[in-house]
Amino acid sequence: VDAPAHLDTPSIGSGAAGFLLAWLDSDGPGSFWTGRILVARVDESGQVLDPNGIALTENVGDYAWPQIVWDGTHYLVVWVQDGGFGGTDKIWGRRVTAAGAPVEAQPVELATLAYSTGWPALAFNGQQHLVAWTTYETNLDSVRFRRFTTELSPIDAAPKTLVTASSPVGYIDSPLAASNGSSWLVAWNRSGIEMTVVDSSGTAGPVKPKLASSSSLYGIAYGNGSYLLNHVTGVAPNPSLAVQRVDIGGNPLGGAVTLGPKQSETDFPGGVSFSGSEYLATYTEGGFGNNLVHAARISTASTKLADMVHSQSVNTEAFPEVACDGSHYLVVWEDTRGEGVLHHRFSGYGPW
């Protein structure tokens, strides 16, 4: 997908007979957050069906970080709107059919925040959507969530708090969420990755102890009875990009599996997806004139099976995300100088 404007923060979800790609179509350098949220369908062969995009926001606004999930009938796309200094931030949602048609006449307001500190988390448990976010209020960061029906009606009377920082310097990163088809695992970084389980009634369990030497959580997926987290492990001067498997209660299963060293500020973990038999975890490797997007195959027993480089560019490539339709993975990422969203389709064993 390419366009005269700047395409930022892509997200990908798999659904009926293909995928849905979402991104921020921004106004140009220095105006990140200012633009429209667009989506495009990608079929099972990797063909982009809507190269100019389908607008989910009619007006240009301060938007960012779209997230996508498929509920068996529709895609749900959620994103953040920045309210500016002294304003209130909002999380919006809008459903999209498999044919690419928005369901609601206008986006639906899902949450109002005093101040958002990053992207929203989104996961579907087979009956309900869970949306989680970080908000900054009374000088403290908090992670909150709210459940919604497939028609976007709120189930919880008000947002519920999962954790609040103990001091103004207790920064909490944006959360991520995934579901095993019943409960949800919600995870975030607070000087180490913490997580908790939210059951189908909306009751949250205790916050689990931090994963050892963990930070920068960027991806989470469920498969074959456990979750896989894509993150950074270790401390300077020798941190690594790694994945960690945890059970449905959020308890670690074995140790972290290294994907590669984190040698520069542009080395970051990305998304992770499950094919039905194994995971694919993405990450970036940076270097002047040699920026790489990787995809690593990970077994359900946390063994690294293969590592594939599927893009090499002199441009900065960022935010790799991945989804699987059961047969193929689709990996998408942002080319930050070419200002496009690029994609590559994979079978379970390599480029397709």
Side-chain angles (χ1 to χ4, degrees):
V1 179
D2 209 344
H6 291 239
L7 280 60
D8 298 303
T9 61
S11 182
I12 189 74
S14 60
F19 304 86
L20 190 73
L21 170 66
W23 68 93
L24 169 69
D25 189 37
S26 65
D27 287 348
S31 62
F32 179 73
W33 287 78
T34 303
R36 299 179 301 160
I37 298 296
L38 301 183
V39 297
R41 293 167 298 147
V42 182
D43 69 17
E44 293 172 309
S45 71
Q47 178 71 31
V48 179
L49 302 179
D50 311 294
N52 294 322
I54 300 164
L56 296 189
T57 56
E58 294 181 1
N59 299 319
V60 170
D62 293 335
Y63 306 119
W65 303 116
Q67 306 292 318
I68 304 173
V69 73
W70 171 256
D71 68 8
T73 304
H74 301 105
Y75 294 100
L76 173 60
V77 185
V78 303
W79 62 91
V80 171
Q81 180 180 12
D82 181 16
F85 183 77
T88 56
D89 294 355
K90 297 180 185 294
I91 296 176
W92 298 92
R94 199 171 185 183
R95 293 177 295 164
V96 179
T97 69
V103 176
E104 288 76 26
Q106 298 290 334
V108 177
E109 183 180 317
L110 303 180
T112 299
L113 326 175
Y115 179 74
S116 171
T117 55
W119 57 74
L122 174 65
F124 182 66
N125 76 343
Q127 294 183 320
Q128 308 167 7
H129 294 290
L130 179 142
V131 180
W133 60 89
T134 305
T135 185
Y136 183 75
E137 298 178 15
T138 61
N139 295 321
L140 296 173
D141 281 349
S142 295
V143 177
R144 296 180 181 171
F145 77 93
R146 198 174 191 183
R147 294 170 301 139
F148 296 86
T149 69
T150 54
E151 291 77 29
L152 303 188
S153 298
I155 297 172
D156 303 301
K160 298 182 178 182
T161 300
L162 291 175
V163 65
T164 298
S166 58
S167 72
V169 296
Y171 181 76
I172 301 177
D173 280 345
S174 301
L176 293 175
S179 177
N180 65 355
S182 176
S183 60
W184 295 271
L185 186 71
V186 184
W188 57 89
N189 180 61
R190 182 171 58 159
S191 300
I193 295 173
E194 298 176 333
M195 64 196 79
T196 188
V197 175
V198 178
D199 68 22
S200 59
S201 70
T203 301
V207 175
K208 296 294 181 177
K210 292 180 175 68
L211 291 179
S213 301
S214 60
S215 64
S216 300
L217 176 66
Y218 273 77
I220 182 172
Y222 174 80
N224 197 42
S226 61
Y227 295 94
L228 193 72
L229 281 61
N230 196 356
H231 68 297
V232 174
T233 187
V235 295
N238 297 307
S240 298
L241 307 177
V243 292
Q244 171 71 56
R245 197 161 58 100
V246 302
D247 65 20
I248 60 173
N251 304 298
L253 296 171
V257 177
T258 299
L259 301 179
K262 180 172 172 53
Q263 298 175 322
S264 75
E265 294 183 356
T266 54
D267 293 350
F268 273 105
V272 59
S273 186
F274 187 66
S275 69
S277 60
E278 62 184 49
Y279 298 94
L280 194 73
T282 62
Y283 64 100
T284 58
E285 178 186 353
F288 181 74
N290 187 32
N291 290 267
L292 308 175
V293 176
H294 290 255
R297 293 171 49 219
I298 308 295
S299 75
T300 55
S302 299
T303 301
K304 183 179 176 181
L305 302 175
D307 192 317
M308 301 167 285
V309 176
H310 57 94
S311 178
Q312 182 170 357
S313 173
V314 296
N315 297 334
T316 300
E317 298 179 301
F319 309 118
E321 294 290 340
V322 58
C324 185
D325 64 1
S327 299
H328 300 94
Y329 296 103
L330 189 70
V331 180
V332 301
W333 64 95
E334 174 190 332
D335 184 317
T336 57
R337 294 186 190 179
E339 307 303 348
V341 175
L342 309 179
H343 73 282
H344 198 163
R345 195 168 63 106
F346 278 76
S347 71
Y349 300 99
W352 191 265

